[in-house]
Amino acid sequence: MKDHLHTSEDQLNLPEEFSRRSFLKLAGFTFAGGVLAGCQQSNLEKAIPHLIKPEELVPGVPLWYASTCAGCSAGCGVLVKTRDGRPIKLEGNPEHPISRGGLCAVGQASLLGLYDSQRLGAPLAHGKESTWEQVDAAIKAELEGIRKRNGAVRFLTGTITSPTTNELVRRFLSTFKDARHVVYDPVSSSALLDAHERTHGVRALPQFRLEKATTIVSLNADFLGTWLSPVEFTKAYRQGRSLQGTPPVFSYHTQFESRLSITGSNADERVSVSPVELAHVASRLLSLLTERAGRRLPVAVPLLDERLERCTTECVERLWRTKGKSLVVCGVNDVAIQVVVNAINEVLGNYGSTIDLNRSSYQAQGNDTDLAKLLDEIRSGNVSALFVDGVNPFYDLPGAQELAAACETIPLPVSFGERNDETAEHMHYVLPQPHELERWNDSEAIAGIVSLTQPTIQPLRPARPLMETISIWMGTKESAYNLIRAEWERSIFKRQTREQSFTQFWNKTLHDGFAIVEPKRQAVSSFNPAAVAESLRQLSTQSLQQKLFVELHASSTILDGRHAHNAWLQELPDPVTKIVWDNVASLSRKRAESLNLHEGDVVRLNREGGRVIELPIHIQQGHQDDVISVSLGYGRKGTDRFHHVNPKWLQAKPTVEKGGTVGTNAAPLLEWKGKTLSYFVSGIEVERTGTNRQIAVTQEYDFLTNPNLLGESSGEKRNIIQQASLATFVANPSAGSFPKPPLDSLWPEEHTYPGHRWGMVIDLTACTGCSACVISCQVENNIPVVGKDEVARNRELQWLRIDRYYEEEGETLRVAHQPMLCQHCGNAPCETVCPVLATVHNSEGLNQQVYNRCVGTRYCANNCPYKVRHFNWFQYPRGDEIARMVLNPDVTVRDRGVMEKCTFCVQRIQLAKIEAKNEGRALRDGDVKSACQQSCPADAIIFGDVNDPNSEVSRKMKDPRTYRVLEELGVRPSIGYMTLVRNSDGIAVAEGGMKNG
């Protein structure tokens, strides 16, 4: 321990016997030297004020811009907070119809990418820095030659929701005789669109309306985690599961899945299935529902085993009883399964109710068939020019090395991106694009909802937007702003009737961040039953004898790898496994025992063709025995920089050798099944390597029972999470409450709060464990990233954590998520032991941490029953000058040797007070929103003045469901938790009230 506290540069050459007098002499000399040094003239820095100050700019006062999040293709609306010309925080736009004020962890953390100093600073030509004029001239000359010889031009991109960019790409490609725009998503949903083309005659992604669904059945779709549009779905899911009203509106959710996902952890019923069983469950659901409708399928569907047959039959009962108010979704990239799911929704009458094909979604547009065709063209040498934007095919596709070799024959390969990634290093030209916060852009993520993105900072790099590059190559040379405005005047403005003037329409959209216009309609055909028979035949041929699969899935934190360079997200614990800075091979305890594997053992996953990856194993509760799950997105080029160990503050050996990437790329295990990418892979051999690697986790105990000295469960349940079933809650709103005996207090008198008293209530029924609040708190409060080694030593510094607990009853696994932060206790145990009064609470009930008093005894952390206080062990590197621009100037940047913890965002409280005072009014409920509350997509966090009887937090504090964690200690926390209510009785809302399912 001592070796980690000081380095050679920090240590003083002290004599063996160092007296108090000697210490005072040394301290006095140091002080005097500091005073003398302060008298000397130093380098002067002059601040030049505005000669003509902009009317809207006041130094130190934030400005807000409405914009669109680019963390994924969901198109959530955001408000960008800027201070003195630099963005420091993203928050959800409460008026935006997609996100409605919520913002996921990825969206919150995308701010860090703006200040990444490793973004490309200039275009590259054949691996060397060049100028825009030179690369434009060279590329235009090559393009002219391709036009003359009628060469094939291919534009390969991810999903583009920008109508202006799509139109410019279309115009650009129209100048060639053989040109095509190919779209693919690294984690593909192509089968979902292909299935609707077969069943409804239109290749489209429908809009799923979870808020209208009384019964939800999900087949491996992690719609609260990473599937399509998680913030949008979380808002809708929460809306359909409210405990308000009599009877309460509360849907019933069944999840069939192989691995434990965020969505599965929140389901009322979770059924663990293998990939083959999942296909048979879909077929069986359709068969039973068709029988209920008085029809018969053209293909016989076999019965399932006893367990699955019972679950499926019960599921059909609920679905049939709520026809037209139900929803079945599927996240498997298999056209046959998706066609069957479409048929299920058709039988239930869900199209036009909970599924909207007329107002379709553009959030995933990938086409695996077009991608497969393009890859064949590249391999055969038939492509003359390849432009790649927003994707990294030489990283996230199987056979990437062979594909990269084939790309060498392309005369003109060009990449658009922020960095020199796996694909860019094989391209002749790399043209960097600016960060979304530096440029103009637009979006139509859902038909009829158009949004604008506006620059909030002067570009930090000489990058150029794709649309400007295309404009220059086409000989027009227009700015992105002019291109977008012209396209909106040409097409978007005509799709609305509210504003008569385009200028008024443009200015209002720019102010609001979005506009609602008439959606483009597609000719949707009536359901085609002929497509179902062939799909059922394909699924029936899948053998149940296959016993080992690998499921490849998007990471909950870095998605498909596009955010692998974001340290905030790398250190964000996975909501289920609680693992950071790594991907693992997760498997069940039964499978681990059969393979004689233990936590952290490194295994080699082998596939035919020499495709091999090595990963440590993680034993996961609720995992299907025949499946090993692995996160995609890791092993990205350039992430080796995160393994650098700074000798000035740490002398420990890194857990990963310098030069290795963070995690392992699992994409080589992907396989093509026909013309569709498959993320369930069979034929895997597991080989032990004989080595073990430490996995950094932030939660080491997973159950709600008391551990004994060996860390094993004693069977005694801890009263940390209060739970009740929906039926018992309807009968008694106080159901699930713990006994609360009166407590004697050693404190001489009750604390009084004559003015405000700040408090918080967290609704455990609403919380999904998504961890958006964790990142929001980190961004707002300048919390440093400590790295994998320090997390493994339990030294993470995040002020807010999400505790995840399991409960097992036979084959049933229940999961509970609980945000845990400083409880701002009235009788705070930390305050009674601090020898220097560094932790005190004020007249408004805030437990304050006075950093310049703290001497780092850590007594307070030892005495905190909630374990929410963190010791800052080191002077953590704050990056270069650009990286430091992300820091919030309203929050102190803590130094080494002090305790840190949640402050209830006191800086926001003070700002709201100042604004209210300037306006000559009292604080209103809702004027203050903590960072965690503001970001929560599920609206699970309520913050405010408990002393205000009309505030929402005051009403929630009096709710029968509200309790306090460990209140039997008498510490009087200021945070209340609301009972976790589960629909475990199978109750659904139907006409006529509550009915048992």
Side-chain angles (χ1 to χ4, degrees):
M1 185 67 69
K2 182 178 178 181
D3 291 339
H4 301 308
L5 287 175
H6 302 287
T7 65
S8 58
E9 292 184 12
D10 297 328
Q11 292 170 350
L12 298 172
N13 296 321
L14 302 178
E16 294 183 2
E17 295 183 2
F18 191 64
S19 67
R20 179 173 176 271
R21 179 182 297 273
S22 300
F23 171 77
L24 292 175
K25 286 181 180 179
L26 180 60
F29 176 79
T30 304
F31 176 77
V35 171
L36 291 174
C39 296
Q40 296 174 2
Q41 185 176 3
S42 59
N43 294 329
L44 297 178
E45 293 185 7
K46 296 183 179 180
I48 302 176
H50 291 284
L51 296 178
I52 302 176
K53 184 177 75 66
E55 182 179 351
E56 72 281 0
L57 182 61
V58 179
V61 176
L63 282 179
W64 294 87
Y65 296 86
S67 194
T68 308
C69 180
C72 68
S73 58
C76 296
V78 296
L79 300 176
V80 185
K81 179 182 180 180
T82 67
R83 282 283 298 269
D84 303 326
R86 60 185 175 93
I88 59 173
K89 186 73 168 64
L90 301 183
E91 299 188 350
N93 185 346
E95 305 299 326
H96 200 281
I98 293 179
S99 52
R100 290 181 280 172
L103 192 60
C104 68
V106 170
Q108 292 279 352
S110 61
L111 173 69
L112 189 60
L114 171 65
Y115 302 111
D116 187 350
S117 60
Q118 293 200 5
R119 288 195 294 149
L120 286 177
L124 303 181
H126 302 281
K128 297 180 179 179
E129 286 195 4
S130 183
T131 65
W132 285 105
E133 292 77 13
Q134 290 173 339
V135 297
D136 286 339
I139 291 174
K140 289 167 73 174
E142 296 251 19
L143 290 174
E144 192 58 36
I146 292 172
R147 284 191 185 94
K148 290 180 180 179
R149 61 178 183 270
N150 296 330
V153 177
R154 300 293 181 261
F155 223 110
L156 179 64
T157 73
T159 290
I160 296 177
T161 59
S162 166
T164 304
T165 302
N166 278 322
E167 175 62 18
L168 284 168
V169 170
R170 186 194 66 78
R171 292 180 195 171
F172 172 69
L173 295 178
S174 68
T175 63
F176 301 90
K177 289 188 176 181
D178 182 7
R180 193 167 73 250
H181 182 192
V182 178
V183 180
Y184 88 93
D185 297 307
V187 179
S188 178
S189 296
S190 175
L192 180 54
L193 285 77
D194 293 339
H196 280 93
E197 187 173 29
R198 294 188 186 183
T199 59
H200 292 82
V202 55
R203 191 177 191 278
L205 175 66
Q207 190 179 2
F208 297 107
R209 307 300 298 271
L210 277 79
E211 72 277 9
K212 295 184 176 182
T214 300
T215 305
I216 301 171
V217 176
S218 170
L219 305 177
N220 222 69
D222 187 15
F223 57 81
L224 299 179
T226 59
W227 190 63
L228 298 180
S229 185
V231 173
E232 176 191 357
F233 292 152
T234 300
K235 284 285 183 183
Y237 186 77
R238 173 75 173 109
Q239 186 177 338
R241 292 170 69 85
S242 170
L243 293 172
Q244 306 300 317
T246 306
V249 177
F250 208 90
S251 62
Y252 189 88
H253 170 203
T254 302
Q255 182 85 2
F256 293 90
E257 63 181 7
S258 303
R259 63 182 179 91
L260 180 61
S261 66
I262 299 177
T263 306
S265 70
N266 286 277
D268 299 304
E269 179 186 26
R270 180 181 176 274
V271 185
S272 179
V273 293
S274 71
V276 176
E277 289 174 335
L278 191 70
H280 287 270
V281 165
S283 300
R284 187 61 177 154
L285 282 172
L286 178 59
S287 176
L288 292 173
L289 287 168
T290 306
E291 290 178 11
R292 283 297 189 99
R295 303 196 298 267
R296 180 175 294 181
L297 290 176
V299 177
V301 174
L303 296 175
L304 304 169
D305 63 43
E306 182 179 352
R307 175 183 70 97
L308 290 180
E309 187 71 23
R310 173 179 54 79
C311 294
T312 304
T313 303
E314 292 174 355
C315 196
V316 166
E317 292 291 332
R318 296 190 188 92
L319 288 169
W320 189 254
R321 190 168 51 253
T322 55
K323 288 187 299 179
K325 295 182 179 180
S326 59
L327 177 63
V328 182
V329 293
C330 180
V332 181
N333 199 41
D334 185 297
V335 178
I337 296 179
Q338 293 288 357
V339 166
V340 169
V341 171
N342 290 357
I344 292 172
N345 284 309
E346 178 67 22
V347 172
L348 292 169
N350 293 335
Y351 283 97
S353 174
T354 58
I355 303 177
D356 190 351
L357 257 179
N358 292 315
R359 185 184 287 270
S360 58
S361 166
Y362 306 135
Q363 294 162 330
Q365 304 167 24
N367 190 322
D368 288 355
T369 302
D370 287 353
L371 174 63
K373 183 178 179 181
L374 172 61
L375 298 182
D376 288 340
E377 290 177 328
I378 293 175
R379 294 186 185 103
S380 59
N382 295 329
V383 176
S384 298
L386 176 66
F387 299 94
V388 180
D389 172 56
V391 287
N392 191 358
F394 298 166
Y395 163 82
D396 50 38
L397 290 178
Q401 293 182 349
E402 296 82 359
L403 184 63
C407 188
E408 298 294 334
T409 63
I410 298 177
L412 180 60
V414 179
S415 173
F416 303 90
E418 292 186 348
R419 62 187 73 249
N420 196 15
D421 58 20
E422 290 85 351
T423 297
E425 67 180 355
H426 292 280
M427 297 291 175
H428 292 179
Y429 299 96
V430 182
L431 311 182
Q433 289 205 71
H435 191 272
E436 284 295 317
L437 294 172
E438 296 175 313
R439 64 174 170 173
W440 288 97
N441 206 349
D442 59 352
S443 172
E444 187 174 8
I446 294 176
I449 303 175
V450 290
S451 306
L452 282 174
T453 299
Q454 57 179 317
T456 57
I457 188 175
Q458 288 291 332
L460 302 175
R461 294 282 190 277
R464 191 172 68 190
L466 172 63
M467 58 181 70
E468 289 187 8
T469 297
I470 294 177
S471 173
I472 290 172
W473 292 351
M474 294 177 66
T476 55
K477 197 175 183 180
E478 287 286 347
S479 68
Y481 174 82
N482 289 336
L483 290 167
I484 295 170
R485 190 180 171 100
E487 176 63 22
W488 278 51
E489 189 170 11
R490 185 190 70 83
S491 62
I492 305 294
F493 177 61
K494 298 175 182 178
R495 294 163 56 189
Q496 60 86 43
T497 57
R498 290 185 179 181
E499 304 294 339
Q500 299 302 314
S501 160
F502 172 72
T503 300
Q504 292 177 338
F505 171 68
W506 175 264
N507 290 339
K508 187 177 188 307
T509 304
L510 190 60
H511 174 271
D512 297 344
F514 71 97
I516 305 297
V517 299
E518 184 66 23
K520 293 181 179 179
R521 303 290 180 179
Q522 301 184 83
V524 180
S525 306
S526 57
F527 185 80
N528 177 22
V532 180
E534 178 60 29
S535 296
L536 287 173
R537 291 189 187 95
Q538 291 181 28
L539 298 182
S540 64
T541 61
Q542 296 187 16
S543 172
L544 289 168
Q545 302 304 313
Q546 299 182 62
K547 285 301 180 183
L548 188 59
F549 295 83
V550 169
E551 178 185 2
L552 303 166
H553 60 91
S555 165
S556 297
T557 54
I558 63 172
L559 302 184
D560 50 37
R562 68 185 73 184
H563 300 291
H565 296 271
N566 192 307
W568 283 343
L569 292 174
Q570 287 282 8
E571 193 154 298
L572 178 66
D574 181 277
V576 173
T577 66
K578 299 301 176 185
I579 294 172
V580 299
W581 291 105
D582 214 347
N583 61 336
V584 295
S586 295
L587 69 170
S588 69
R589 184 169 299 278
K590 180 179 178 181
R591 173 63 70 173
E593 290 174 350
S594 69
L595 297 173
N596 193 25
L597 294 171
H598 303 87
E599 185 79 7
D601 284 352
V602 178
V603 297
R604 189 174 292 114
L605 303 180
N606 299 311
R607 281 209 76 220
E608 65 274 5
R611 287 180 280 176
V612 179
I613 64 171
E614 290 187 2
L615 287 167
I617 71 133
H618 169 65
I619 299 174
Q620 176 61 52
Q621 301 292 328
H623 213 282
Q624 213 279 340
D625 293 335
D626 297 333
V627 174
I628 299 173
S629 61
V630 180
S631 292
L632 295 166
Y634 289 85
R636 284 292 297 263
K637 178 186 176 183
T639 57
D640 53 335
R641 61 173 163 154
F642 295 125
H643 294 311
H644 175 69
V645 178
N646 187 344
K648 293 184 178 180
W649 56 268
L650 182 60
Q651 291 181 331
K653 183 180 179 182
T655 55
V656 180
E657 294 300 326
K658 185 177 178 181
T661 59
V662 175
T664 303
N665 183 14
L669 296 184
L670 287 168
E671 67 177 3
W672 288 92
K673 289 187 177 179
K675 298 294 184 179
T676 304
L677 273 171
S678 177
Y679 296 86
F680 282 120
V681 183
S682 58
I684 295 290
E685 294 183 358
V686 181
E687 179 185 349
R688 298 176 60 192
T689 64
T691 61
N692 187 282
R693 188 199 308 173
Q694 184 180 25
I695 301 173
V697 296
T698 59
Q699 184 175 349
E700 297 178 347
Y701 193 78
D702 303 318
F703 293 88
L704 284 168
T705 49
N706 279 323
N708 58 27
L709 293 177
L710 298 178
E712 299 172 351
S713 173
S714 64
E716 178 187 354
K717 194 165 185 179
R718 296 183 290 174
N719 296 335
I720 294 176
I721 293 183
Q722 184 170 291
Q723 305 182 59
S725 68
L726 181 59
T728 57
F729 167 77
V730 171
N732 175 19
S734 300
S737 296
F738 305 138
K740 301 176 179 65
L743 296 172
D744 294 328
S745 176
L746 294 176
W747 290 84
E749 58 184 17
E750 287 292 325
H751 303 288
T752 58
Y753 306 96
H756 304 293
R757 185 185 180 186
W758 304 105
M760 180 180 287
V761 172
I762 300 174
D763 190 346
L764 297 180
T765 304
C767 178
T768 64
C770 71
S771 300
C773 55
V774 179
I775 288 294
S776 184
C777 174
Q778 185 159 10
V779 180
E780 174 74 18
N781 293 292
N782 300 333
I783 299 173
V785 169
V786 303
K788 180 178 178 180
D789 295 312
E790 292 301 289
V791 173
R793 295 181 174 90
N794 299 318
R795 292 177 177 177
E796 66 273 10
L797 281 176
Q798 288 157 342
W799 292 358
L800 169 62
R801 68 175 189 266
I802 308 291
D803 290 336
R804 183 263 303 118
Y805 297 107
Y806 300 129
E807 276 191 289
E808 289 183 319
E809 295 180 9
E811 294 184 356
T812 301
L813 176 71
R814 292 192 178 94
V815 185
H817 301 278
Q818 184 179 52
M820 185 57 60
L821 60 159
C822 176
Q823 303 289 298
H824 292 268
C825 305
N827 298 337
C830 56
E831 297 177 14
T832 59
V833 295
C834 182
V836 292
L837 290 180
T839 174
V840 292
H841 74 275
N842 68 5
S843 61
E844 297 184 352
L846 294 179
N847 181 272
Q848 297 176 318
Q849 185 69 28
V850 186
Y851 299 126
N852 61 0
R853 286 185 193 167
C854 182
V855 295
T857 63
R858 293 182 288 154
Y859 296 161
C860 56
N862 294 335
N863 218 40
C864 175
Y866 304 96
K867 299 306 173 190
V868 290
R869 305 180 69 86
H870 305 276
F871 183 62
N872 192 326
W873 286 87
F874 301 107
Q875 184 67 46
Y876 291 100
R878 292 288 174 175
D880 52 27
E881 291 295 331
I882 293 179
R884 281 197 288 271
M885 292 174 68
V886 79
L887 297 175
N888 182 0
D890 293 330
V891 178
T892 302
V893 177
R894 281 78 57 193
D895 208 343
R896 168 184 179 174
V898 301
M899 299 301 303
E900 301 186 17
K901 57 95 193 173
C902 163
T903 65
F904 268 171
C905 288
V906 65
Q907 68 278 6
R908 293 190 173 207
I909 296 174
Q910 295 304 112
L911 179 60
K913 287 180 180 179
I914 293 171
E915 291 179 350
K917 181 179 179 181
N918 291 339
E919 296 173 9
R921 60 172 177 82
L923 271 178
R924 294 187 293 253
D925 187 35
D927 280 352
V928 183
K929 283 193 173 184
S930 61
C932 55
Q933 173 194 17
Q934 190 281 326
S935 67
C936 180
D939 298 320
I941 302 174
I942 302 99
F943 178 76
D945 185 0
V946 179
N947 281 352
D948 179 1
N950 298 318
S951 67
E952 185 180 4
V953 71
S954 179
R955 293 193 297 269
K956 294 293 186 183
M957 284 290 189
K958 299 172 184 175
D959 192 288
R961 284 204 293 141
T962 300
Y963 71 101
R964 291 168 176 79
V965 172
L966 300 180
E967 58 185 314
E968 64 270 18
L969 300 179
V971 296
R972 300 187 182 277
S974 296
I975 297 181
Y977 292 85
M978 303 186 78
T979 303
L980 171 58
V981 178
R982 304 178 188 272
N983 198 349
S984 54
D985 303 288
I987 291 179
V989 180
E991 294 182 7
M994 306 292 291
K995 294 186 179 180
N996 197 304

